[in-house]
Amino acid sequence: MSPHHDHGVDEVSIALVTISTSRTKATDASGGAIVAAVTDTPGVTLSDRRLVDDDADAIETTLGNLVADPDVDAIVTTGGTGITPDDVTIDVAEDAFEVELPGFGEHFRRRSIEDIGTHAIATRATAGVIDQTVVFCLPGSEAAVTLGTEEIILPEIAHLVAMATR
């Protein structure tokens, strides 16, 4: 590995946004799985946790507020990545991305095929950068957020935050 790839930050602060009209923090198993993964990762903290309706304006406002928060280095969303009419998370996020990270969604779907087969094509999981804040959009299932958070996001987060904030 080249020295370029060794660069990372020592501490990363993540904000979690669950996008759902049917969940509460008490019933949000996917959000709970993300909290557990973040808590178990040295150098990574959870700075904020929010629950937002499947509403484009609410999602846009929440992302904007979190991006503006100097205590937030990265945002992980869960929910709203499918293809039903109320799945608007990806549309809102992609409109805001200054830089897209297509490799995240590609890798997530490739890994998901191992677990759920070709159903993985129905997810639009994605990532990008908004004003130096790395944003990851994951599906709402607990298995999907565990895969995305533990196996893809957390191993790369310090490096991605360092690159986004250069």
Side-chain angles (χ1 to χ4, degrees):
M1 184 181 303
S2 73
H4 168 76
H5 294 288
D6 293 335
H7 296 236
V9 294
D10 294 329
E11 298 288 326
V12 174
S13 176
I14 294 177
L16 165 61
V17 181
T18 298
I19 299 163
S20 174
T21 52
S22 61
R23 295 182 189 178
T24 65
K25 283 187 183 177
T27 62
D28 180 18
S30 296
I34 294 169
V35 170
V38 167
T39 303
D40 290 343
T41 304
V44 181
T45 58
L46 186 71
S47 63
D48 201 334
R49 182 176 181 184
R50 299 185 186 191
L51 187 67
V52 178
D53 285 345
D54 292 296
D55 173 79
D57 291 336
I59 296 166
E60 181 179 17
T61 298
T62 300
L63 289 177
N65 289 339
L66 291 171
V67 165
D69 185 339
D71 294 328
V72 174
D73 300 310
I75 301 167
V76 178
T77 73
T78 174
T81 65
I83 60 171
T84 66
D86 62 340
D87 288 329
V88 297
T89 303
I90 301 306
D91 306 307
V92 172
E94 286 182 342
D95 282 349
F97 287 165
E98 296 155 359
V99 176
E100 291 187 38
L101 299 170
F104 173 77
E106 293 163 2
H107 187 63
F108 179 83
R109 281 180 287 282
R110 185 176 59 78
R111 289 294 313 276
S112 294
I113 286 173
E114 297 170 15
D115 297 328
I116 62 172
T118 56
H119 288 308
I121 67 169
T123 181
R124 297 184 294 151
T126 193
V129 179
I130 306 170
D131 194 24
Q132 298 185 317
T133 304
V134 184
V135 179
F136 301 93
C137 302
L138 293 170
S141 81
E142 189 174 352
V145 300
T146 299
L147 166 68
T149 305
E150 292 181 4
E151 297 185 33
I152 305 171
I153 295 171
L154 292 174
E156 293 298 323
I157 193 72
H159 177 69
L160 291 170
V161 168
M163 290 176 61
T165 57
R166 276 193 188 162

